[in-house]
Amino acid sequence: MKFLLLAFLMAFSVQTWASINPVCEVNGNKVELLPVVHPNADLASYVFDEYVENFHVRIVMVEFSYFTSIKAGSYSFTQNNEGPFFFTVALPQGKLEIQCH
């Protein structure tokens, strides 16, 4: 019985270790979306939330749907995509390219 429990725990640990977080490219630099689990929620999301040059970039992926929010000064931009996407935002503060796959 102990052997069966140990085998189950090892298999679960290997599966968790082998899982890969989603990756996007922001201005040509690869960024990893990190898992976030909220209390009492049955879904996990993957999030990138950082400043890139003059832009505040937030990318959230839930069940292969991407929700992107970009803020720069008084400008703001949001976009929702199902599956992989690529887009460019050009503002007076600069240019931002985001690609998620």
Side-chain angles (χ1 to χ4, degrees), residues 25-85:
E25 291 183 24
V26 179
N27 283 352
N29 297 318
K30 289 188 178 190
V31 297
E32 186 175 16
L33 281 67
L34 300 177
V36 175
V37 179
H38 298 283
N40 300 322
D42 58 350
L43 293 174
S45 58
Y46 293 87
V47 178
F48 172 80
D49 188 6
E50 292 186 19
Y51 282 88
V52 177
E53 297 174 14
N54 297 321
F55 298 93
H56 179 210
V57 179
R58 180 173 174 86
I59 304 169
V60 178
M61 187 192 82
V62 179
E63 291 190 341
F64 302 105
S65 293
Y66 291 91
F67 304 92
T68 307
S69 172
I70 300 168
K71 295 179 183 177
S74 62
Y75 298 97
S76 65
F77 175 81
T78 58
Q79 181 168 332
N80 301 338
N81 296 85
E82 287 195 26
F85 70 92

